[in-house]
Amino acid sequence: MTRTALRFIAPLALVILTACGDDPPVEPVGPVGPGTPSVTITSPASGLMVSEGTPVQLAGSATDPQDGTLGNAALAWTSSIDGALGTGSPLEVASPSVGVHSITLTATDSDGNTGNASVSLLVERLEFLDGTVADAQIGIVVNSSANALRLFQLGDPGENRDIALGASSAVTPTGISIRGQTGVVPLGNAASVAVIDLRTRQIGGFFLFESGNATGSAFVDDRTVLAANQQTDEVGRFTIGQAGGAIGDLVPVTQFPTGIVPFSNSLAFVISANLDENFAPAGDGVVTALDPLTMTVVATIETGGTNAQFGAIGPDGMLYVMNTGNYVAPSTLAIIDPGSLELVEVVEGFPAGSGHVHVSEDGTLFASAFFTGTVAWNTATKAFVRDASNPICAPLAGGGCRGAFGAHTAADGSLYQTFFGSTRQNLSPWIFRYDPETWALTDSIPPGQGPVGLEIRSFR
């Protein structure tokens, strides 16, 4: 269902009938008798429909044969569901209850005579994907072990829904790309990509490589999707709704592509770890600049470090790519200019095993490491806010930190971090939430089994 903050509905019981077919609708005016006030409601229009939690503006006026225009104290609003709403015009009702309301404005003149007018208002209950009244945000967790997505409401984390991606052991989801209310999930060894309607939580179809391992994905526009194949070292393209389910227009890229970062409808970046058949570095990581419209390679850029894994575009327009390295020595961060298609700088000092990168709207880059949690680095000052000696992490009972597979910020700046879990240490997987000001651990949310990816979005 498409949603807007305010929209009109037209069932017979909720419209104002006009006297003639082409005459404009009139504002609701109550019955008038000798000496009684004449009341007009100008807002809301009768038949208005709003989502639960949407403020509604009430406005109207009244005139009286003896008193003339009546003041705010003489105007009282009531709802057939919520009762007395207040007096005066305009008046805002912060969150009317769910249901069909008859909103009535009653005016009382100096002699105690009353007049009134009424309009209909429909308040529709929020669906799961709309979040809670106070918080519209939804967390989307990619669970590789459970072969599923888990969606949870940030305003009520216990309220969650799972989307199964398939029972085959070959299904190993690696991440998710989202456009509107559609998600695409590369399914790893299944060599395919699932397209999911996040509102209905239904899989709309699968698109397949002939063979291989589907890793990264990215939307080019509302219907065109790029997908990477880590085994055949190719990137292909498909269109949602196309005839047939083949991923076509294949383009060779540097070996072991791990992710795709979209920049515009004419530029996307394919990140390749550049590993050989023994998973050892064959050289520095490589970013392939690709024109998705023509499926041609525009440039290849070395990342200045080995085993490039994840990347993100910052609010400064730069591409940040993590060179994970060998999981023993410190990782490095490559900064690439999408304008010049050149490597600008390589930043050192990131924890060993750093992989996933997320850049918040304020320019803070969060890099998550498998062994040490998440560090925070300011892209403007190019300085660590929390470095490897003091990472953002959930502590272990005997000292040290749980690792982090990824992290994502919410609208209020709080940080949500995925912990994969450890059977060796008898530790369950979690999504940890950290305070936006202090990054103190404030909540633990069950994510499902094997969380490897996390996105936070609002769908209303």
Side-chain angles (χ1 to χ4, degrees):
M1 178 184 294
T2 302
R3 293 188 174 272
T4 56
L6 300 177
R7 53 195 169 125
F8 290 96
I9 59 173
L12 188 61
L14 298 178
V15 297
I16 307 165
L17 300 179
T18 58
C20 302
D22 295 328
D23 290 343
V26 297
E27 294 169 338
V29 178
V32 178
T36 62
S38 174
V39 181
T40 301
I41 296 176
T42 56
S43 177
S46 194
L48 184 68
M49 183 170 72
V50 300
S51 296
E52 180 184 6
T54 303
V56 174
Q57 191 84 358
L58 307 181
S61 61
T63 58
D64 183 73
Q66 289 76 39
D67 299 340
T69 301
L70 298 181
N72 281 342
L75 305 178
W77 297 90
T78 57
S79 159
S80 57
I81 295 177
D82 292 334
L85 302 175
T87 59
S89 177
L91 175 70
E92 183 178 272
V93 181
S95 183
S97 299
V98 171
V100 180
H101 295 247
S102 178
I103 303 294
T104 300
L105 175 59
T106 300
T108 305
D109 66 14
S110 58
D111 294 327
N113 299 314
T114 61
N116 61 72
S118 296
V119 293
S120 295
L121 171 71
L122 176 60
V123 180
E124 187 179 42
R125 188 177 304 279
L126 295 175
E127 295 182 359
F128 170 81
L129 199 68
D130 298 318
T132 64
V133 170
D135 193 336
Q137 296 173 101
I138 299 292
I140 302 106
V141 186
V142 181
N143 287 314
S144 62
S145 300
N147 296 352
L149 299 182
R150 170 161 293 185
L151 282 59
F152 67 92
Q153 297 178 336
L154 266 63
D156 183 7
E159 192 69 24
N160 59 62
R161 303 288 188 275
D162 290 339
I163 304 173
L165 298 173
S168 169
S169 60
V171 174
T172 48
T174 61
I176 186 169
S177 300
I178 299 171
R179 184 88 163 209
Q181 298 183 18
T182 302
V184 294
V185 180
L187 298 179
N189 292 326
S192 59
V193 177
V195 177
I196 302 167
D197 184 326
L198 296 174
R199 182 163 294 279
T200 64
R201 301 187 295 281
Q202 298 295 314
I203 296 178
F206 295 92
F207 294 84
L208 292 81
F209 291 106
E210 287 187 3
S211 63
N213 187 309
T215 52
S217 65
F219 276 93
V220 176
D221 54 37
D222 289 347
R223 301 186 65 78
T224 308
V225 180
L226 298 177
N229 191 325
Q230 198 171 81
Q231 188 172 357
T232 64
D233 303 326
E234 294 173 312
V235 170
R237 180 175 65 180
F238 66 87
T239 302
I240 297 172
Q242 72 181 31
I247 299 174
D249 302 320
L250 301 177
V251 176
V253 294
T254 301
Q255 55 195 0
F256 220 82
T258 56
I260 306 174
V261 180
F263 185 76
S264 68
N265 63 354
S266 60
L267 184 61
F269 296 104
V270 182
I271 300 171
S272 292
N274 196 14
L275 304 180
D276 63 21
E277 62 275 7
N278 297 314
F279 303 103
D284 283 352
V286 173
V287 171
T288 302
L290 182 71
D291 182 342
L293 300 177
T294 60
M295 294 300 285
T296 56
V297 173
V298 178
T300 56
I301 310 138
E302 292 190 353
T303 63
T306 60
N307 197 11
Q309 290 285 328
F310 294 93
I313 301 293
D316 56 2
M318 304 298 278
L319 171 64
Y320 295 89
V321 178
M322 185 58 66
N323 295 311
T324 300
N326 62 5
Y327 298 92
V328 177
S331 301
T332 63
L333 181 73
I335 305 177
I336 295 172
D337 185 346
S340 65
L341 298 177
E342 294 178 345
L343 176 66
V344 175
E345 185 178 356
V346 177
V347 181
E348 298 183 346
F350 286 83
S354 293
H356 184 269
V357 173
H358 168 71
V359 186
S360 65
E361 291 183 358
D362 68 1
T364 302
L365 182 145
F366 295 93
S368 296
F370 301 113
F371 314 116
T372 55
T374 302
V375 298
W377 186 78
N378 189 307
T379 59
T381 64
K382 297 185 178 180
F384 282 98
V385 183
R386 294 282 289 267
D387 63 14
S389 67
N390 185 28
I392 305 165
C393 73
L396 293 167
C401 284
R402 288 173 171 84
F405 219 104
H408 204 291
T409 48
D412 66 353
S414 56
L415 185 70
Y416 288 75
Q417 178 192 72
T418 57
F419 171 60
F420 189 83
S422 171
T423 54
R424 181 177 61 84
Q425 296 174 290
N426 196 28
L427 297 173
S428 299
W430 291 103
I431 300 292
F432 295 117
R433 180 192 181 275
Y434 299 89
D435 180 82
E437 298 295 332
T438 64
W439 288 324
L441 179 60
T442 60
D443 199 5
S444 302
I445 303 163
Q449 292 300 310
V452 296
L454 172 66
E455 294 286 333
I456 295 175
R457 299 294 178 94
S458 176
F459 297 95
R460 81 168 197 257

